[in-house]
Amino acid sequence: MSATSLNTVPFVSVDHMMKLVLEIGIEPFLKGLAERIEADFRRWPQFDKRERVPCHSAEGVIELMPTSDGTLYGFKYVNGHPKNMKEGRQTVTGFGVLADVHNGYPLMFSEMTLLTALRTAATSAVAAKHLARKNARTMAIIGNGAQSEFQAMAFKALMGIDHLRLYDIDPVATEKCRQNLSGFGFTITACKTAEEAVEGADIITTVTADKRYATILNDNMAGPGVHINAVGGDSPGKTELSRDILLRSDIFVEYPPQTRIEGEIQQLDADAPVTELWQVIAGEAEGRKSERAITLFDSVGFATEDFSALAYVYDLARKTGHYVDLDMVADPDEPRDLFGMLLRADKTLKAA
Ligand code: NAD
């Protein structure tokens, strides 16, 4: 790795990201990331916000997610293709850029497949910290794919969740999840049905992938006092909860204009009441109203969370050295002599 100069930009590959997370430690990394996400939610009005820009196809979606706090700019490219898993590919992949608003130069390129799983889990755990019952210890995870272990680890790190009840329509996924999490101090129950998984759960995480209006949770599966962390319903026509649950829940969302298009609440009227998560975090709105209330975090993933994650990794990558410099920005000796730089390169190549 060389020292970063004007024309080179740090690039954090998948390999770098793994080394970085492992060097810091999975739980400390998630805790630090959650702190950064929470701090950025607290200064929500400072961010430039818009719905993400989707490109839908019959089989999935590709999205761009930009935001800025006036000093830094970030965006993520992310896809969601539930059919990918059967073809040996990830359902969700991503990469992102952090840039300097002052001069527009990129500051970092990063893989964001791992980072999305980490930031989604950290955001879910931040929401639950503010919304779930304080004595929550047991979480059901329905959908035991790529995101699931990250969710479990973030809820352990932030909430002290130590009992997991796992269910997936594919028992191979549940066994993979159980084995991956076996060394982390959880008591794990593999369940045969979603109904069995939610028995006695204080928190229910739904994190399935299916491009349709699915009903992972029926109305009678959400008992009083439960917190629902609904992660998998994140695109038009792609939901996980029965509408009746929404009608009985206090609903918390990231950015309402985006969630009304993509979240569980696409099943409700356009003016259905919701509370913005940042308001609860900033102490401007009430979270859980009673021990018997059902709270629902209708997670779809918002650009500020990726911004927080990129900024967090930018600091850590420079501290740990887990990056390489890419020759990404043309840097002629005289800024207006871009063409001359090309001609000089031609001469050098011909002389070689
Ligand atoms: P994945 O394909 O790796 O895993 C999905 C799992 O869900 C699979 O194991 C599958 O068998 C299981 N499943 C499908 N239908 C089911 C059902 N009816 N009951 C139980 N299990 C079922 O996908 P992933 O990367 O883990 O992502 C999961 C979901 O989370 C996707 O829908 C993705 O779009 C979403 N996601 C949301 C956010 C966010 O910020 N809200 C971020 C990342 C991913």
Side-chain angles (χ1 to χ4, degrees):
M1 186 194 69
S2 61
T4 302
S5 71
L6 260 188
N7 62 328
T8 61
V9 182
F11 168 61
V12 180
S13 68
V14 175
D15 190 52
H16 293 127
M17 188 65 78
M18 292 196 291
K19 288 179 176 146
L20 196 155
V21 173
L22 293 173
E23 183 173 326
I24 307 289
I26 300 172
E27 284 189 58
F29 183 96
L30 281 163
K31 274 188 190 160
L33 176 55
E35 272 167 28
R36 177 81 204 215
I37 288 170
E38 203 169 10
D40 285 340
F41 266 121
R42 230 175 264 125
R43 62 186 186 107
W44 183 257
Q46 291 174 18
F47 284 92
D48 178 35
K49 296 175 283 292
R50 66 198 65 220
E51 301 94 299
R52 60 184 155 195
V53 184
C55 173
H56 292 285
S57 62
E59 293 171 312
V61 63
I62 295 173
E63 298 163 323
L64 292 178
M65 303 173 68
T67 190
S68 168
D69 66 352
T71 302
L72 294 173
Y73 169 90
F75 82 84
K76 179 170 80 171
Y77 165 106
V78 66
N79 78 298
H81 287 70
K83 56 104 199 177
N84 274 7
M85 185 257 297
K86 292 198 178 73
E87 300 164 0
R89 294 191 173 96
Q90 292 289 298
T91 295
V92 176
T93 69
F95 61 86
V97 173
L98 192 69
D100 185 345
V101 170
H102 175 62
N103 55 29
Y105 271 36
L107 292 168
M108 182 185 73
F109 290 76
S110 180
E111 86 79 41
M112 290 194 80
T113 303
L114 278 162
L115 193 54
T116 292
L118 290 156
R119 78 84 157 115
T120 303
T123 305
S124 284
V126 165
K129 196 180 86 174
H130 289 273
L131 300 173
R133 294 193 325 273
K134 294 288 167 252
N135 58 356
R137 289 292 171 272
T138 301
M139 177 160 85
I141 306 183
I142 303 178
N144 303 152
Q147 310 296 318
S148 60
E149 296 94 338
F150 294 89
Q151 290 281 330
M153 292 301 291
F155 277 76
K156 176 169 185 281
L158 268 80
M159 298 278 301
I161 290 297
D162 54 10
H163 281 64
L164 297 174
R165 301 180 64 79
L166 308 179
Y167 171 70
D168 193 292
I169 38 168
D170 182 356
V172 173
T174 301
E175 183 51 21
K176 176 256 342 174
C177 186
R178 193 189 65 73
Q179 276 190 21
N180 280 341
L181 293 174
S182 62
F184 292 99
F186 291 106
T187 302
I188 302 177
T189 309
C191 301
K192 292 206 163 47
T193 62
E195 284 80 0
E196 184 190 341
V198 302
E199 271 172 32
D202 305 305
I203 297 174
I204 303 172
T205 289
T206 56
V207 63
T208 66
D210 203 353
K211 199 165 164 47
R212 67 190 176 96
Y213 293 108
T215 308
I216 306 300
L217 290 189
N218 292 315
D219 191 26
N220 58 10
M221 290 163 75
V226 79
H227 173 69
I228 303 172
N229 170 41
V231 179
D234 59 356
S235 201
K238 179 167 174 276
T239 56
E240 295 182 304
L241 307 186
S242 141
R243 183 174 182 274
D244 293 334
I245 294 183
L246 307 186
L247 300 175
R248 292 196 290 126
S249 305
D250 293 327
I251 303 173
F252 300 84
V253 302
E254 291 143 316
Y255 180 58
Q258 182 178 304
T259 312
R260 289 196 193 277
I261 297 168
E262 302 179 351
E264 297 300 327
I265 57 169
Q266 65 187 278
Q267 302 179 68
L268 300 181
D269 293 340
D271 59 353
V274 296
T275 305
E276 296 185 43
L277 182 61
W278 76 268
Q279 291 183 304
V280 179
I281 292 173
E284 293 183 16
E286 196 178 10
R288 169 166 289 276
K289 292 188 180 121
S290 75
E291 287 293 289
R292 290 183 62 80
I294 298 175
T295 50
L296 164 62
F297 176 43
D298 187 359
S299 156
V300 292
F302 189 59
T304 56
E305 296 148 25
D306 298 307
F307 174 100
S308 309
L310 284 166
Y312 179 62
V313 165
Y314 182 57
D315 291 342
L316 288 180
R318 285 184 305 165
K319 259 186 219 151
T320 59
H322 292 309
Y323 66 91
V324 285
D325 283 319
L326 294 185
D327 178 20
M328 281 300 295
V329 180
D331 186 29
D333 299 336
E334 206 275 279
R336 287 165 300 186
D337 197 21
L338 190 62
F339 192 73
M341 184 182 82
L342 182 65
L343 293 183
R344 283 191 290 282
D346 191 37
K347 267 191 202 146
T348 313
L349 284 173
K350 283 188 178 132

